Amino acid sequence: MALESQDTATTSPDPAALAALVEGEVSTDDATLAWAARDWGSIVQQRPRVVVRPASVADVVAVVGFAAEHGVSLAARGAGHSPFGQGQSDGLVLDMTSMAAVHRVDRDGVVVEAGARWSDVLAATVQAGLTPPTLTDYMHVTVGGTLAVGGIGGATHHYGTQVDTVRELDVVTGTGELHTCSPTHNRDLFDAVRGGLGQCGIVVRATITLVEAPPRTRRWQLYYDDFDRYLREQRAVVAEGRFDYVEGQIVPAAPETQARWRYMLEVAAYYGAAPHPGEPDEAALLGDLGDDRPSAEVVDSTYPEFAHRMAPAEEFLRTEGSWFHPHPWLNVFLPEQATGPLVSHVLEHTDLARDIGATGLLMLYPVRADRLRAPLVRVPEGELVFLFALLRTGDPYAVTDTARMIEANRDLYERAVAAGGCVYPANALAMTPQDWQRHFAGQWDRLAGARHRFDPAGVLCPGQRVFPGPAAPPTPDPQ
């Protein structure tokens, strides 16, 4: 399924004029434009006029300044892992993966360019015995890409999202100006960019806090047949901070059982160095849990192997082909009290093969809301909130089925909002500016004011559909 965006750039950028401004590569060939017109979702296609691969921060400054001056829409693209055209533009696309250097690594943090993938960041930091506190499940997304939405993972209940671990950012605003910002310097820009969906500036460099990297990890996959107990024990282990990593999945039950679903609690403990030099105490960690222990799966690995635990699945999906199929994903945050009833309703009306896809996933796990401190990463009220993710895989030959999945996303989104929930913004969901205003709620005026201040021409990141299209180019002063 491929939806063509209806947006049009105010002006068509002049490739020759851009080439004169930058040292990097300026491309208008069909192959490059076709590449930039697609993303991981394989649902929305938006072909730009020009793709620029910047060679430096100065190139980014020049391109953004050009876009603002001429009223050309501009999207910064990282790994292209967005599901619904969020990194696309019909004007300019900045391919930030050309700026992927990992600079200083020490106990004060890692300085990294925005186009670096988290796999590259980890490879550099573990050599010093250090790691970013929160890692995404899939490690080949870019630093700039996840900082635009939040960056959630199994350690979020300890450290927050990845934007909560950022100490300093270098940002090119929509006016084509370079600024450094942090909690103590240019705080308005710092808060507008972290989780701000690229609406106020393009991150070009980040300083990220590091913690000790454990030598080894023990990971358990614990299976439950009782949904209520599963939720209770997820809440308990997260509230206690019992494990270093906590996530969860909902999986099909064995055909011979009467149940349709089983509930998998995935937890991990780090060891091999202080404060846990010995092997994990399984009796203390698992002794009071009510899972079906005979069906538990246990894997011991090095910490880097654990971080890259998705690599075999990715290789299989690429070989099998569904890696390249449509991915109409939906991620929502649910209030603790609404999670059981709403998820039960969804499961009752969900057929795995029809509604999720043969290689799709259902994920469900809680995080502590007090760990999520970036103001634009929106979560419901309460001490604990649940991430509920329907990672659907569509059939490229069944366009109407993918459309039906997107419609189902809208239905669940409305149910979640009615229950006090909100989205984690990495979705195949047609959000309108009104939807975004509802989403950001009390932070909307902050974001809208920052947009007006830092991107007055309205050219940045049109694929998110947060604000209306690009502003008209400035009118020359007749005097």
Side-chain angles (χ1 to χ4, degrees), residues 375-463:
L376 295 182
V377 177
R378 307 298 298 149
V379 294
E381 298 288 336
E383 294 182 5
L384 291 179
V385 298
F386 277 78
L387 179 73
F388 185 33
L390 292 85
L391 307 185
R392 310 178 196 265
T393 301
D395 182 342
Y397 296 103
V399 175
T400 56
D401 284 354
T402 300
R404 177 179 46 76
M405 290 179 177
I406 295 171
E407 290 175 4
N409 286 350
R410 184 73 197 190
D411 178 71
L412 177 53
Y413 162 74
E414 295 291 352
R415 289 178 181 274
V417 170
C422 52
V423 296
Y424 175 71
N427 300 308
L429 181 68
M431 297 276 283
T432 67
Q434 291 73 32
D435 290 328
W436 285 119
Q437 185 169 356
R438 177 170 61 169
H439 167 78
F440 284 109
Q443 295 296 325
W444 174 255
D445 288 344
R446 177 201 291 256
L447 177 60
R451 169 77 165 192
H452 179 73
R453 176 183 173 188
F454 296 117
D455 182 22
V459 296
L460 293 179
C461 206

Side-chain angles (χ1 to χ4, degrees), residues 14-351:
D14 180 357
L18 280 165
L21 294 174
V22 302
E23 295 181 355
E25 178 184 331
V26 177
S27 299
T28 58
D29 61 281
D30 284 344
T32 300
L33 300 185
W35 164 83
R38 296 178 63 88
D39 60 16
W40 159 256
S42 295
I43 298 168
V44 173
Q45 291 192 16
Q46 174 115 304
R47 185 181 174 95
R49 268 74 159 187
V50 181
V51 173
V52 179
R53 294 188 170 99
S56 64
V57 171
D59 280 3
V60 178
V61 169
V63 172
V64 176
F66 176 94
E69 180 182 357
H70 296 283
V72 178
S73 66
L74 182 150
R77 176 189 171 109
H81 206 69
S82 56
F84 208 59
Q86 286 90 343
Q88 297 175 13
S89 164
D90 67 344
L92 281 164
V93 167
L94 271 172
D95 177 9
M96 297 299 293
T97 60
S98 61
M99 295 178 57
V102 180
H103 297 290
R104 188 194 76 227
V105 176
D106 57 34
R107 295 188 180 277
D108 289 331
V110 57
V111 179
V112 57
E113 291 181 337
R117 298 171 192 264
W118 286 99
S119 55
D120 299 325
V121 177
L122 182 64
T125 63
V126 293
Q127 295 183 39
L130 301 167
T131 180
T134 299
L135 293 171
T136 50
D137 292 336
Y138 182 58
M139 292 286 288
H140 297 297
V141 289
T142 61
V143 170
T146 62
L147 296 186
V149 296
I152 195 167
T156 291
H157 69 290
H158 283 301
Y159 298 107
T161 59
Q162 289 175 321
V163 296
D164 293 307
T165 69
V166 172
R167 295 180 51 198
E168 185 177 271
L169 295 171
D170 288 345
V171 177
V172 178
T173 63
T175 57
E177 298 172 288
L178 176 65
H179 296 279
T180 298
C181 57
S182 71
T184 58
H185 180 68
N186 286 336
R187 180 62 184 261
D188 287 350
L189 180 60
F190 188 67
D191 285 344
V193 171
R194 295 181 304 142
L197 308 180
Q199 299 303 296
C200 299
I202 297 172
V203 173
V204 291
R205 183 173 294 188
T207 302
I208 299 162
T209 300
L210 297 175
V211 297
E212 297 285 344
R216 297 197 63 80
T217 300
R218 182 166 298 170
R219 176 168 58 109
W220 296 269
Q221 292 179 325
L222 309 174
Y223 292 89
Y224 290 74
D225 297 310
D226 185 319
F227 183 52
D228 290 337
R229 181 157 193 170
Y230 171 72
L231 290 180
R232 286 199 306 272
E233 297 193 350
Q234 275 195 324
R235 293 185 185 103
V237 299
V238 165
E240 297 165 8
R242 186 185 304 191
F243 296 97
D244 295 296
Y245 163 99
V246 177
E247 289 193 3
Q249 293 184 27
I250 301 170
V251 299
E256 63 270 16
T257 67
Q258 297 299 312
R260 295 182 62 216
W261 304 102
R262 293 195 95 192
Y263 312 99
M264 188 262 281
L265 173 61
E266 185 176 41
V267 293
Y270 302 154
Y271 70 99
H276 303 295
E279 293 193 3
D281 184 344
E282 292 199 15
L285 290 171
L286 307 181
D288 62 343
L289 299 182
D291 59 292
D292 176 20
R293 194 59 48 82
S295 66
E297 301 169 19
V298 186
V299 176
D300 253 65
S301 66
T302 66
Y303 177 70
E305 288 170 340
F306 168 73
H308 289 280
R309 62 195 174 278
M310 284 190 61
E314 177 184 352
E315 182 179 359
F316 168 78
L317 294 174
R318 285 181 178 274
T319 302
E320 179 261 356
S322 58
W323 186 265
F324 309 101
H325 291 183
H327 294 94
W329 285 8
L330 182 70
N331 295 268
V332 292
F333 281 120
L334 302 176
E336 182 179 4
Q337 68 277 9
T339 297
L342 195 151
V343 173
S344 295
H345 172 85
V346 171
L347 295 180
E348 181 182 351
H349 295 88
T350 295
D351 177 89

